[in-house]
Amino acid sequence: MVNRALKLGIFGYGCVGQGLHDVLISSKGMNATIAKICVKDKTKKRRISMDHFTYDKYDILNDPEINLVVELIDDDKEALTIVKAAMERGKNVVTANKKMVAENLKELVKLQEQTKTSFLYEASTCGSIPIIRNLEEYYDNELLYSVRGIFNGSSNYILSNMHNDDKKYEDALLKAQELGFAETEPALDVEGVDAKYKLVIITLHAYGMFIDPDQVFHYGISNISKHDIRYAREKGYKIKLVPYVGKLNKSTITLYVLPRFIPPEKYLYNVDYEYNGVIAEAAFSDKQFFYGKGAGGHPTGSAVLSDISACTYDYKYEYKKKHHNRVKNYSTNIDIEIYFRYHDPAILRKFPFKSISEQYFAKEFNYLIGSINLNDLMKLREEINKLNVFIVNTGRKSGKINL
Ligand SMILES: NC(=O)c1ccc[n+]([C@@H]2O[C@H](COP(=O)([O-])OP(=O)(O)OC[C@H]3O[C@@H](n4cnc5c(N)ncnc54)[C@H](OP(=O)(O)O)[C@@H]3O)[C@@H](O)[C@H]2O)c1
């Protein structure tokens, strides 16, 4: 097997960059040395000698000795420029930036194919859980029914704090930020956007389809209230933010990100705090469950290290499902049963429920359980976060009483 010596140029020395540095110096037997680390802020004090750092990206990009660029910055536009420039110069690339990867997946995969470089991004989805490599290699020829789970450590941390520890939403979010689980822009986590980026990346490796993130419905936890937590508790459920991709028929898949009620007997029930969990459901292997830390410097750094290690033997994603070309269509024409908490009954005019199976009215809040088409939720996606409502997928088949 090839054991190529790696000379690394690292971009970013924040939560993940420092985590990777710790992991790299403790891992023995890796044929890799750090040549330079590029950062932005010249006034910041660093944990290691300033000799390691540069503020000029071309010190890395134009160094012919550097054969692997590790991109760990929090600016997706600049990250895209760096990643493209590196591949165009024949350098392999490892990145943790899901926004940059998900929004430019088609272009980046094409560039990777043209330049014959390795372009690896395991750390971009579900932190330390090796889901992309498993979808590529293990589920190579399996008939995958669905992939779902908890992909965002920050929102899961908030939900666990609210459910298990009675914390307020704002306090839990602050704690997640302090611990380095939250994105620089917290809306990405709590509104389900980060989970959606990961879902789009997973979809390419599970089904071979490039899906534009803008075409995927996402709804997060930013509107959750104590009433919703109380409702879930009374029923014995937890609320989790669950992205889903699954087959509707042989050649059609659907995708969405929604909070979901999880009963105690389900795998995801005990996936708490910054942990992530992924369930792959397939025809022959049945249900498989992956569990691990989804955020934080060291867990994410360890996923980056695994990709760096893969570059020593020239590993590349082969995008096998894309070449199989079995799944060809993406549809959002499905009915979903939801718990819908609202204040003003007039809001119901905006939501064309197909059926309602349960309704509850109280002074402080109202809720109903009803079935709605995902296309109708898609139409409301620009305004849905601003409305005084909260939506949870019940996880059951649609309601019974037709209106
Ligand atoms: N945190 C997590 O748990 C986690 C998990 C999975 C994936 N990720 C992804 O990993 C990436 C990094 O996240 P993070 O949490 O480590 O961010 P972070 O703590 O905010 O650190 C960002 C780093 O990027 C550097 N930087 C920003 N713009 C730059 C530029 N133009 N050129 C060079 N360096 C630049 C910053 O430099 P200064 O130090 O000079 O400010 C800083 O070192 C993001 O894409 C994030 O989505 C994070």
Side-chain angles (χ1 to χ4, degrees), residues 11-17 38-42 44 46 55 71-75 78 82 96-99 123-124 127 180-184 194 198 294-297 300:
F11 285 87
Y13 193 68
C15 178
V16 182
C38 180
V39 285
K40 191 175 173 189
D41 186 343
K42 293 184 178 164
K44 257 192 205 169
R46 308 286 168 179
Y55 303 98
E71 183 286 303
L72 305 170
I73 71 172
D74 61 340
D75 171 344
E78 182 62 3
I82 290 164
N97 198 320
K98 49 255 156 169
K99 183 171 197 287
S124 69
F181 303 146
E183 288 294 320
T184 314
D194 173 87
K198 293 166 181 170
T300 313

Side-chain angles (χ1 to χ4, degrees), residues 8 10 16-17 19-21 23-24 30 68-72 94-97 120-124 127-128 133 297-311:
L8 313 184
I10 299 176
V16 182
L20 170 67
H21 189 258
V23 174
L24 253 179
M30 274 271 291
L68 175 58
V69 163
V70 182
E71 183 286 303
L72 305 170
V94 168
T95 177
N97 198 320
L120 305 180
Y121 39 83
E122 188 69 70
S124 69
S128 62
R133 211 104 50 93
H298 287 155
T300 313
S302 93
V304 176
L305 182 81
S306 170
D307 277 352
I308 293 174
S309 171
C311 286

